[in-house]
Amino acid sequence: MTAKANRGWCRGRLRPVLCAASLLLCGAAAAQQGQGQAQSGTGQSGQTGLTSTTQTGTGGTASQTNQAGGASRTNQTGDASRGQSQQTQGTNGTQTQGTPSQGTPSQGAPVGGTPTATQTAPGVSLPGRTQIPGAARVAQGPSSLGLEQAIQLAVQNNLTTLVAREREREAEGLKDESRAGLLPNVSATAYQANLTQNLAALGFQPGTFPGITRTFIGPFNNFDARARLVQSIFSLSAIRNYQAGKAGVRVAELQEGLAREQVATFTALTYLEALRSGREVEAAQADVDLAQTLLKLAQDQHTAGVATGVDVTRAETRLARERVRLSQAQTASEQAVLNLQRVVGLPLGATLTLTDPLRFTDEPLPSVEAAVTEAGQTRPEVRIAEAQLSLTGLERRAARAELLPSVDFVGDYGVSGITPTNTDLPTRRVAVQLNVPIFNGGLTRGRIEAAASRERQAELELGSVRGQVEEDVRLAFSALRTTAEQVAAAGQSVTLAQRELEMARDRFRAGVGDNVEVVTAQAALSDARSAEVTALAQYNAARLNLAAALGRAEAFRW
């Protein structure tokens, strides 16, 4: 065989192998590219009305409200927080409470989503928590409960506000402690002693001084009773420390106000969730009643020979599903009421009727710019950050003042003698003492550097909080507009679903078709009712979100 023939034979044999390898490589590259696109899409929101999760920049405690079409967290701290529209969290593909692909509210989703916001106040550390804790004490309350009364009970009984009040008392104690350096320090001592003395230990040897013949003297008695007074005349460090103590009390007071806002926000959300769950039970009961009516119609039509047994079985299956949904809604409602009782401090399991209805309230809103200005003045987080900046500034100046001299008055007065009644004579001492720090191993310099760093941190925190507050307000306005539109759309969906059901039922009653259209329309009406309840809850949660963004959660009412 010639070389030319060999080359042709090799090409003919290798060509299929090369083509197969090329196809395999292309398929692997395409699969890898598709996987990368799927991963990059994880956590992205690709539809209108998805969950918008917000987290208050520095506020704490963990309350949540709904943003456009989904859950919106408020901040522990309990105010409106950072908005990040998302359908999935991270890269694990876990879907959050939100709206389905059609852009309608999700069915049965808890108002505000699952409470997971960790809340801290600016410049000061508050314990992070997944939600506001329950009540620290239980009080006998009424059997009917409105939102205003629920907020008042929660503020009185909840652990968050009670701990904040105790921290305020702690700050008062620290202020009194810092004031002690400016007030007189008076003490008194008295003793009666029996002594012996070795003069040789003091350098007095016999013969060294005239009259000393032995070194051991005693025993002899000694008595002294004396009152001492030390008063700071001037100490700039003590003055600054006292000023810092008063600033600490101010910070604690503002923290207590923030805790009240957090508790009010979370209580309103819990109350709203209980209302939503109750409305879900009503909607599920209406669906059960409708399913029973349609089953009766199918049975009558079957008796009349118009419908088949399949139509009756289909209606029975739908009724069973609606009963399961009713049972689930009742369980969710019981859990929501128990959660509300736990938060406000009412006996668990007691009969409780919620008096405030779940409704749509169209109220006038201020302009966004006016709301941003108001929030910058009233939000507890901003006021805490400003107070914290003032506190750290005073701490820095107090540390620097330790480098300066201080002047004290020192005096004592008392009697001394052999015994209280033997040779006792009054004695005294009066002095003005000047204290000049020279070198203490760099302790003061280290305190100055640490205090200056804390002041710079507080200044940065303040700038961040102010920017976050503006974002919170703008997000809250956006969410309120969106949820209001969702309520209108959900109401229209219920009306159309009812009309569709009536038309399908008339067709089935007339014997034009089977009850497939009826069951389909029945399912659409059930979904529309649930979506309407969720949309109302999300709208009111958006109103709460705006109130929290403006620092008015405690005064919020439906």
Side-chain angles (χ1 to χ4, degrees), residues 429-497:
R429 182 181 64 142
V430 177
V432 175
Q433 178 176 307
L434 175 65
N435 305 305
V436 181
I438 298 177
F439 180 71
N440 59 359
L443 176 62
T444 302
R445 291 295 179 184
R447 290 176 178 173
I448 294 173
E449 292 178 2
S453 177
R454 289 194 298 269
E455 184 179 16
R456 288 192 295 270
Q457 294 174 36
E459 186 175 359
L460 295 174
E461 286 283 353
L462 177 58
S464 176
V465 169
R466 284 173 174 167
Q468 186 60 56
V469 165
E470 180 176 357
E471 181 185 4
D472 295 341
V473 174
R474 295 184 183 277
L475 286 174
F477 270 88
S478 176
L480 193 59
R481 288 192 299 268
T482 304
T483 52
E485 295 173 358
Q486 288 179 351
V487 171
Q492 186 178 7
S493 297
V494 172
T495 302
L496 294 176

Side-chain angles (χ1 to χ4, degrees), residues 57-416:
T58 54
T61 72
S63 306
Q64 302 172 341
T65 60
N66 282 349
Q67 287 285 11
S72 162
R73 297 179 187 157
T74 65
N75 150 1
Q76 235 108 161
T77 261
D79 298 314
S81 30
R82 281 179 202 148
Q84 300 174 346
S85 297
Q86 57 183 13
Q87 174 73 8
T88 57
Q89 296 178 346
T91 57
N92 56 9
T94 303
Q95 187 170 356
T96 59
Q97 301 283 353
T99 59
S101 59
Q102 292 83 358
T104 57
S106 60
Q107 300 176 13
V111 174
T114 305
T116 56
T118 302
Q119 303 165 354
T120 55
V124 287
S125 297
L126 291 178
R129 54 181 69 88
T130 57
Q131 63 178 14
I132 296 297
R137 56 192 181 194
V138 178
Q140 294 297 328
S143 58
S144 58
L145 187 67
L147 177 61
E148 181 177 2
Q149 192 173 12
I151 291 177
Q152 292 175 352
L153 286 174
V155 169
Q156 294 172 4
N157 300 327
N158 195 269
L159 176 63
T160 302
T161 51
L162 294 177
V163 170
R165 292 190 192 115
E166 291 302 322
R167 287 176 178 167
E168 186 177 353
R169 295 188 182 96
E170 178 185 359
E172 288 284 352
L174 293 176
K175 183 195 72 172
D176 294 340
E177 180 180 339
S178 64
R179 185 175 53 187
L182 300 175
L183 299 179
N185 186 352
V186 181
S187 61
T189 59
Y191 70 87
Q192 175 69 61
N194 185 268
L195 308 174
T196 60
Q197 186 67 51
N198 182 8
L199 296 180
L202 302 177
F204 296 99
Q205 295 288 348
T208 304
F209 294 95
I212 298 179
T213 58
R214 59 175 184 169
T215 58
F216 183 82
I217 59 174
F220 60 92
N221 293 326
N222 178 249
F223 167 78
D224 188 85
R226 192 162 305 279
R228 291 182 173 83
L229 169 66
V230 177
Q231 170 64 60
S232 174
I233 298 176
F234 175 78
S235 174
L236 186 59
S237 176
I239 294 173
R240 297 302 186 202
N241 283 328
Y242 177 58
Q243 292 174 343
K246 292 194 296 183
V249 173
R250 177 59 178 165
V251 171
E253 292 174 349
L254 294 174
Q255 287 179 4
E256 197 267 342
L258 176 60
R260 294 172 66 95
E261 282 286 304
Q262 291 176 347
V263 170
T265 302
F266 191 76
T267 302
L269 271 179
T270 309
Y271 191 96
L272 181 57
E273 173 62 16
L275 285 178
R276 187 201 64 80
S277 300
R279 285 287 295 270
E280 284 284 357
V281 172
E282 296 176 2
Q285 184 61 58
D287 292 335
V288 170
D289 296 339
L290 176 60
Q292 290 174 342
T293 302
L294 295 178
L295 175 59
K296 181 66 169 55
L297 175 61
Q299 291 172 344
D300 294 341
Q301 293 292 87
H302 180 260
T303 302
V306 178
T308 64
V310 175
D311 295 327
V312 176
T313 303
R314 189 181 295 117
E316 290 175 344
T317 301
R318 186 63 195 181
L319 176 59
R321 291 178 180 175
E322 294 299 342
R323 283 174 174 167
V324 170
R325 180 171 171 267
L326 174 60
S327 177
Q328 294 173 344
Q330 289 172 341
T331 300
S333 179
E334 292 175 1
Q335 293 175 349
V337 172
L338 285 174
N339 192 20
L340 178 60
Q341 291 173 334
R342 180 73 180 94
V343 170
V344 302
L346 293 177
L348 298 180
T351 303
L352 186 63
T353 303
L354 305 183
T355 59
D356 289 350
L358 182 62
R359 61 192 175 193
F360 180 82
T361 304
D362 191 8
E363 54 188 4
L365 298 176
S367 65
V368 177
E369 299 302 328
V372 168
T373 303
E374 179 185 354
Q377 297 172 351
T378 59
R379 275 283 288 271
E381 293 90 344
V382 176
R383 300 173 67 189
I384 288 176
E386 292 173 345
Q388 189 69 24
L389 179 60
S390 176
L391 171 61
T392 53
L394 290 171
E395 289 176 344
R396 177 185 58 81
R397 285 185 281 176
R400 291 187 62 86
E402 293 180 7
L403 299 174
L404 302 177
S406 62
V407 181
D408 296 332
F409 171 81
V410 180
D412 65 69
Y413 182 85
V415 293
S416 61

Side-chain angles (χ1 to χ4, degrees), residues 52-63:
S52 173
T53 303
T54 63
Q55 181 177 4
T56 301
T58 54
T61 72
S63 306

